[in-house]
Amino acid sequence: MAFTLPELPYAFDALEPHIDARTMEIHHGKHHAAYVNNLNAAVQGTALESQSLEDLIAHVSQHTPAIRNNGGGHWNHSFFWELLAPNAGAEPEGALADAINQAFGSFSDFKTQFGQAATTRFGSGWAWLNVGADGKLFISSTPNQDNPLMDLAEHKGRPILGLDVWEHAYYLHYQNRRPDYITAFWNVVNWNKVAEHFAGK
Ligand code: MN3
């Protein structure tokens, strides 16, 4: 079963001015596509060909670096696109809002702490909001294309929100200003999708 590049659920320019169309076009059509192609090449002709992406990631320590990097890249970006939406940027509601307030004090404090995780991730990687084994929310970050679902993750959990802080995600528009990109991200977060993940859907 070959892995395939999912369609973006909106137009390349839908997230303007917060995330520019050219960045989205290259990010999806070149970067994400490359992870998919390289993942297919890495499993082709092996026993792993029939495994799901989730299974590959859950046991990634047993696999090659190519599967770790490209399997992670494919999962992370497929997850990320769905978390963004035009005209989003409202605040979380209901059970998700309650859980955020309980874990971080307030929505504002949550954004500050998530932003710190995203800003201080050295080099390339991701910031995450996760549900832990205890059912509570926690923030983490991972290097490169790792994620909290990987068996080798330092802090394992079930991600419900993620932010790509590789330079390819923001450099065309924001250059080295990663904090500006992180601030802009809050304008395009699809909190309905985050709430679905929180509810385990
Ligand atoms: Mn990326």
Side-chain angles (χ1 to χ4, degrees):
M1 181 193 71
F3 297 102
T4 55
L5 180 67
E7 298 254 340
L8 270 188
Y10 36 74
F12 291 129
D13 64 357
L15 307 176
E16 294 261 14
H18 310 292
I19 304 179
D20 64 286
R22 185 82 178 123
T23 293
M24 291 300 294
E25 191 174 357
I26 296 170
H27 199 176
H28 177 263
K30 303 291 185 193
H31 291 278
H32 189 174
Y35 297 125
V36 173
N37 292 338
N38 292 335
L39 177 61
N40 283 328
V43 298
Q44 191 173 25
T46 77
L48 300 177
E49 220 171 6
S50 59
Q51 284 203 12
S52 70
L53 183 56
E54 287 69 26
D55 283 343
L56 288 174
I57 282 176
H59 305 287
V60 79
S61 66
Q62 301 168 21
H63 305 316
T64 61
I67 290 175
R68 177 177 176 175
N69 293 332
N70 295 293
H74 180 31
W75 192 94
N76 293 350
H77 288 83
S78 301
F79 184 70
F80 185 52
W81 308 135
E82 297 277 338
L83 293 167
L84 305 176
N87 306 313
E91 298 196 359
E93 296 171 355
L96 174 60
D98 293 344
I100 286 174
N101 291 336
Q102 190 178 21
F104 308 108
S106 69
F107 181 56
S108 173
D109 287 336
F110 157 70
K111 288 199 291 185
T112 299
Q113 292 176 45
F114 187 93
Q116 279 169 352
T119 305
T120 57
R121 163 50 55 191
F122 183 77
S124 298
W126 291 73
W128 305 98
L129 174 63
N130 312 282
V131 180
D134 59 2
K136 292 188 179 149
L137 294 177
F138 71 96
I139 291 166
S140 68
S141 81
T142 54
N144 304 312
Q145 295 296 355
D146 286 359
N147 69 45
L149 294 170
M150 290 182 170
D151 57 352
L152 43 67
E154 186 183 0
H155 302 287
K156 282 187 272 300
R158 185 168 62 79
I160 64 170
L161 176 68
L163 176 59
D164 187 345
V165 295
W166 283 57
E167 281 191 345
H168 69 221
Y170 62 86
Y171 201 86
L172 284 180
H173 188 72
Y174 294 99
Q175 291 81 51
N176 62 325
R177 303 190 307 277
R178 187 190 288 187
D180 291 355
Y181 160 72
I182 295 166
T183 300
F185 165 68
W186 298 119
N187 293 301
V188 291
V189 174
N190 181 353
W191 288 107
N192 291 331
K193 180 57 73 174
V194 181
E196 282 180 22
H197 289 312
F198 180 63
K201 291 177 190 165

